[in-house]
Amino acid sequence: MATSQTSLPKYLQDLEGVNEEYRKFFSILPKEKGWMGSYMYNYQDFWASARTIQGVIACQQQFQAQDSDIILVTSPKAGTTWLKSLLFVLVNRMKHPVFEQNHPLLVKNPHDLIPFLELTLYADGQVPNLSSFTSPRLLSTHVPFASLPKSVPDSRTKLVYLCRNPRDIFISMWHFTNKLRLHHIDTNSMEEMFDLFCKGVSPYGSFWNHVLEYWKQSIEKPNKVLFLMYEEIKAQPKLLLKRLAEFLECPFSIEEENSGVVDEILRMCSFESLSNLEVNTSGKLSSGAENKVFFRKGEVGDWKNYFTTEMNEKLNHVIEQKFQGYGLRFLYI
């Protein structure tokens, strides 16, 4: 499907989407076939589009973390949209009571409520004015730990990391990136993208380096990094929401629990509630992506509808190799 690069949405553009001075820089970086745009480039040992890397560099150079900041970190398709909604409603429940009719979550997409550092705030050469953000500032990123702005590990900023099993991550990412390519450029085959994923070539990947860096940090600095598993939140949402509240030092009172605040947060942030809101069925993000692409199934175990025995064996072998000895176990159903 022939489409000129400049008519593509920002998220699909290659070097056309970056400043002139960066073009030479990208010409010397290793590159591979892109999941969304034409290519991904390797910067600081992770893979991303040229536009994303430009945003990462701007963020590294300019962002100054505050001790009260809360940054949500995920690898793509780990349940970012869901955790953004939970985090926003949880932290802002005094300012925006959960039972109020015009709650911000009902009229704004979670990605607008908790913006990405490198994909939104510092994207496309912007210099954001963060003075309008109230404390604690709620921010998000997909960036690996080693590539975070230096002020983040050096401050008392809290990091909430969400991990999801690699089989569902792969299937969700394959669907998501193809939806974003649809009507613009040809979609990618599952076989080709699976081989790239197993080689570690995926957005912000490799997946295992991303997960392991934050897993180690959560063990070394449990007061700074909370490591959550998507599947565990699905299985025990109330318990995990309370754990998140305690980590962020805003625990639920007995009165809140008795009046149904915890249950209402979980209801508001459920896949069913979010995916049916008008803003999430018809709205768009600043990148040009439609809000509805962030809501597909929200299930554990959808990989079973796609994985062959060979795919399962191949990924199991990679995961066993990469995660051996770290005490991290994935839940697949």
Side-chain angles (χ1 to χ4, degrees):
M1 188 183 298
T3 310
S4 76
Q5 279 281 320
T6 49
S7 68
L8 291 172
K10 290 177 184 176
Y11 58 81
L12 288 179
Q13 291 178 22
D14 188 38
L15 294 181
E16 290 76 7
V18 301
N19 296 341
E20 191 67 46
E21 70 254 32
Y22 277 97
R23 305 266 172 99
K24 191 173 180 184
F25 170 71
F26 284 107
S27 71
I28 61 172
L29 292 182
K31 70 179 182 179
E32 285 272 7
K33 178 181 170 65
W35 285 64
M36 281 195 282
S38 303
Y39 297 104
M40 287 200 303
Y41 300 84
N42 193 281
Y43 171 72
Q44 296 187 344
D45 206 28
F46 72 92
W47 294 94
S49 69
R51 178 177 176 262
T52 297
I53 292 170
Q54 181 179 293
V56 171
I57 293 171
C59 183
Q60 290 172 334
Q61 292 172 343
Q62 300 170 37
F63 179 70
Q64 288 301 314
Q66 297 178 357
D67 287 341
S68 58
D69 286 349
I70 299 168
I71 302 179
L72 166 62
V73 190
T74 54
S75 59
K77 309 316 298 169
T80 314
T81 311
W82 183 32
L83 194 55
K84 279 188 178 186
S85 64
L86 288 169
L87 193 59
F88 180 85
V89 178
L90 171 68
V91 172
N92 289 294
R93 68 187 190 274
M94 298 305 166
K95 183 180 177 184
H96 300 293
V98 295
F99 295 107
E100 74 177 9
Q101 286 186 320
N102 58 342
H103 194 284
L105 187 68
L106 304 179
V107 291
K108 288 190 175 182
N109 181 272
H111 294 294
D112 288 324
L113 295 172
I114 302 184
F116 280 108
L117 287 167
E118 74 281 7
L119 295 174
T120 307
L121 296 175
Y122 291 91
D124 308 317
Q126 296 178 98
V127 179
N129 178 7
L130 301 182
S131 61
S132 62
F133 283 58
T134 54
S135 181
R137 301 186 304 186
L138 300 180
L139 304 161
S140 73
T141 186
H142 287 318
V143 172
F145 185 81
S147 295
L148 289 172
K150 192 173 181 299
S151 61
V152 175
D154 289 351
S155 65
R156 293 173 63 190
T157 295
K158 285 185 179 284
L159 303 176
V160 178
Y161 187 82
L162 182 62
C163 177
R164 190 180 188 185
N165 82 70
R167 296 178 203 164
D168 278 331
I169 284 256
F170 168 73
I171 292 299
S172 184
M173 190 146 50
W174 177 70
H175 274 291
F176 177 73
T177 52
N178 271 347
K179 269 188 194 173
L180 292 176
R181 291 171 70 99
L182 201 61
H183 309 309
H184 299 291
I185 50 180
D186 293 332
T187 52
N188 287 320
S189 75
M190 179 177 289
E191 294 74 19
E192 185 178 18
M193 303 325 284
F194 183 70
D195 285 342
L196 284 176
F197 186 79
C198 290
K199 277 169 51 181
V201 181
S202 60
Y204 296 89
S206 69
F207 168 79
W208 33 91
N209 284 354
H210 202 288
V211 171
L212 282 174
E213 282 184 10
Y214 285 100
W215 172 249
K216 291 174 194 170
Q217 289 296 322
S218 72
I219 293 167
E220 289 173 22
K221 300 171 184 173
N223 293 326
K224 184 175 180 67
V225 182
L226 176 67
F227 191 99
L228 297 172
M229 298 287 263
Y230 178 91
E231 295 79 11
E232 289 181 355
I233 304 178
K234 276 285 189 184
Q236 297 181 292
K238 198 177 272 194
L239 178 70
L240 272 296
L241 184 61
K242 287 184 187 178
R243 185 184 298 172
L244 178 60
E246 284 162 14
F247 172 75
L248 298 175
E249 298 171 20
C250 57
F252 292 104
S253 65
I254 300 294
E255 291 77 16
E256 284 181 305
E257 292 201 43
N258 290 342
S259 62
V261 169
V262 180
D263 293 319
E264 179 60 12
I265 291 176
L266 293 172
R267 188 202 65 77
M268 284 176 71
C269 300
S270 68
F271 181 87
E272 292 70 29
S273 295
L274 291 175
S275 61
N276 285 307
L277 291 172
E278 186 182 345
V279 66
N280 295 327
T281 57
S282 60
K284 276 189 178 184
L285 298 183
S286 58
S287 66
E290 295 181 320
N291 290 344
K292 64 184 179 185
V293 302
F294 295 98
F295 302 92
R296 191 176 70 89
K297 285 193 173 181
E299 294 175 354
V300 179
D302 188 43
W303 61 269
K304 289 183 290 183
N305 297 315
Y306 300 90
F307 264 53
T308 63
T309 304
E310 292 76 20
M311 288 170 72
N312 217 355
E313 287 173 356
K314 182 174 181 176
L315 188 54
N316 281 353
H317 178 68
V318 173
I319 295 303
E320 281 169 23
Q321 268 190 323
K322 302 294 181 182
F323 288 92
Q324 194 170 18
Y326 288 104
L328 189 56
R329 293 281 177 273
F330 294 108
L331 302 169
Y332 292 103
I333 53 172

